[in-house]
């Protein structure tokens, strides 16, 4: 089972919930925490473990071979991402724009654009007792997060049993990286804050997960700093409000030093326990 922790905006507390939830669940059963926010992964700041595996992840990019090329222009015509440009005497490939769809390579009549590997990121797998932690990190200068997120899903699927709970710390927002991270999730937990910005971006996230057909619920973080508009929105939209995490200076201090909250703040442990119960209910078919 995959549980995606997502949000419509950054800074709402996704990593706070994901790391504490994974630690809480790992005390009774094996759990995997996967940091899918490959542009800025930070779950590792709150966890420790022994190195288990590390590998470089690559994507396939066409490389122009001039010898047989007739500069027919077919590659440029079939590329939907403007990653190939045919000039007077050569073909230019822009790796940052390429989506590795293979179309230009497969349809080249002279096989002048063979696909080659280009490193795009690093995947690291750590182990600590019942908790497996997987992190993927884009290399500096890489612009596309979705291909690395997809390969991270592939690694998780290949190395962990289907029945094992995997907590996915997803990228913020509602763009391609968030969709790629959550599209295979069995349950999505949307983290928000009780502010006008939080409500605005929560609505975008709700629209996205509904379009994806996902079962989801909401956790309000920093509860108490704003108003009750988020709670009223959830009630009006028949969205399950799973838990509330209070606004607290002590929570901020523990977080700032890289500590887990469930052992030091009872209110956070209670909120995480409610999320864990929701996951167990979903496993049993008790949620819709």
């Amino acid at each position: 089972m995959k549980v995606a922790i997502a949000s419509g905006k950054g800074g709402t507390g996704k990593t706070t919930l994901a790391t504490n939830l994974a630690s809480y669940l790992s005390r009774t059963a094996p759990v995997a925490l996967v940091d899918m926010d490959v542009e800025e992964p930070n779950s590792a700041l709150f966890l420790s473990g022994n190195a288990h595996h590390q590998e470089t992840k690559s994507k396939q990019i066409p490389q122009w071979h001039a010898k047989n090329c007739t500069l027919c222009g077919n590659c440029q015509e079939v590329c939907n991402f403007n990653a190939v440009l045919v000039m007077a005497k050569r073909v230019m490939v822009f790796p940052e724009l390429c989506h590795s769809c293979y179309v230009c390579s497969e349809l080249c009549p002279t096989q002048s654009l063979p696909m080659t590997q280009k490193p795009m990121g690093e995947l690291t797998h750590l182990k600590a007792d019942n908790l497996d932690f997987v992190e993927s990190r884009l290399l500096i200068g890489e612009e596309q997060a979705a291909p690395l997120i997809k390969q991270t899903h592939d690694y998780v699927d290949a190395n962990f049993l289907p029945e094992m709970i995997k907590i996915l710390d997803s990228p913020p927002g509602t763009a391609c990286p968030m969709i790629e991270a959550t599209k295979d999730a069995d349950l999505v937990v949307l983290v928000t804050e009780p502010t006008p910005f939080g409500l605005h971006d929560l609505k975008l996230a709700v629209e996205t997960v509904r379009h994806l057909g996902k079962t989801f619920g909401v956790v309000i973080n920093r509860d108490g700093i704003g108003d009750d508009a988020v709670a009223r929105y959830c009630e009006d939209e028949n969205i399950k409000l799973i838990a509330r995490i209070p606004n607290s200076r002590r929570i901020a201090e523990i977080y700032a030093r890289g500590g887990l909250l469930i052992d030091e703040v009872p209110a956070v442990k209670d909120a995480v326990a409610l999320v864990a119960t929701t996951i167990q209910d979903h496993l049993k078919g008790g949620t819709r």
Side-chain angles (χ1 to χ4, degrees):
M1 179 180 181
K2 292 182 179 179
V3 181
I5 312 298
S7 68
K9 64 185 287 293
T12 57
K14 289 185 295 77
T15 298
T16 300
L17 179 59
T19 52
N20 281 274
L21 177 62
S23 179
Y24 180 87
L25 291 171
S26 70
R27 295 175 185 185
T28 56
V31 174
L33 172 63
V34 187
D35 197 336
M36 294 283 189
D37 189 3
V38 299
E39 294 176 273
E40 194 174 0
N42 63 346
S43 294
L45 297 174
F46 306 91
L47 301 168
S48 60
N50 299 315
H52 176 69
H53 178 74
Q54 187 171 22
E55 64 178 287
T56 298
K57 290 296 186 181
S58 302
K59 61 181 179 181
Q60 298 291 321
I61 299 295
Q63 184 177 45
W64 181 56
H65 288 187
K67 182 178 180 181
N68 298 321
C69 181
T70 61
L71 300 172
C72 66
N74 186 64
C75 51
Q76 177 177 314
E77 182 179 346
V78 300
C79 180
N80 287 328
F81 306 103
N82 300 313
V84 183
L85 176 63
V86 179
M87 304 181 72
K89 296 183 178 180
R90 63 170 297 161
V91 174
M92 293 187 66
V93 176
F94 301 95
E96 294 79 8
L97 298 178
C98 181
H99 283 57
S100 304
C101 68
Y102 283 74
V103 172
C104 65
S105 180
E106 294 292 332
L107 298 182
C108 177
T110 59
Q111 290 78 51
S112 297
L113 284 167
M115 302 297 283
T116 59
Q117 284 194 343
K118 179 180 182 294
M120 63 174 171
E122 295 286 338
L123 182 145
T124 303
H125 182 177
L126 304 178
K127 280 180 171 288
D129 298 324
N130 270 346
L131 179 61
D132 284 85
F133 173 61
V134 178
E135 173 195 272
S136 287
R137 183 182 298 268
L138 276 179
L139 296 178
I140 294 174
E142 286 295 317
E143 299 182 12
Q144 294 182 42
L148 182 54
I149 294 172
K150 181 183 183 303
Q151 291 195 29
T152 306
H153 273 299
D154 293 341
Y155 180 86
V156 169
D157 292 341
N159 288 275
F160 301 114
L161 295 173
E163 58 268 24
M164 184 178 182
I165 295 177
K166 300 100 175 171
I167 307 298
L168 311 180
D169 187 0
S170 305
T174 56
C176 294
M178 180 268 199
I179 292 173
E180 186 67 41
T182 60
K183 69 179 185 180
D184 292 333
D186 302 288
L187 175 67
V188 179
V189 178
L190 297 175
V191 184
T192 188
E193 56 189 24
T195 64
F197 283 125
L199 177 58
H200 175 270
D201 292 338
L202 173 64
K203 290 179 179 179
L204 296 178
V206 167
E207 182 180 353
T208 302
V209 295
R210 280 178 169 166
H211 182 74
L212 294 172
K214 299 300 177 183
T215 299
F216 69 97
V218 170
V219 171
I220 297 178
N221 189 31
R222 289 191 282 273
D223 187 42
I225 64 172
D227 52 32
D228 64 346
V230 169
R232 285 189 281 107
Y233 167 75
C234 291
E235 183 177 358
D236 293 342
E237 292 290 321
N238 195 29
I239 298 169
K240 181 176 182 178
L241 181 54
I242 301 172
R244 299 171 184 255
I245 298 174
N247 183 51
S248 164
R249 179 184 177 90
R250 184 164 177 247
I251 289 176
E253 291 172 347
I254 297 169
Y255 180 89
R257 67 171 185 261
L260 290 173
L261 302 172
I262 52 175
D263 293 326
E264 300 188 57
V265 184
V268 175
K269 185 175 183 179
D270 292 342
V272 169
L274 290 172
V275 178
T277 299
T278 299
I279 294 171
Q280 294 301 328
D281 288 345
H282 187 75
L283 279 169
K284 298 173 183 176
T287 57
R288 298 171 56 188

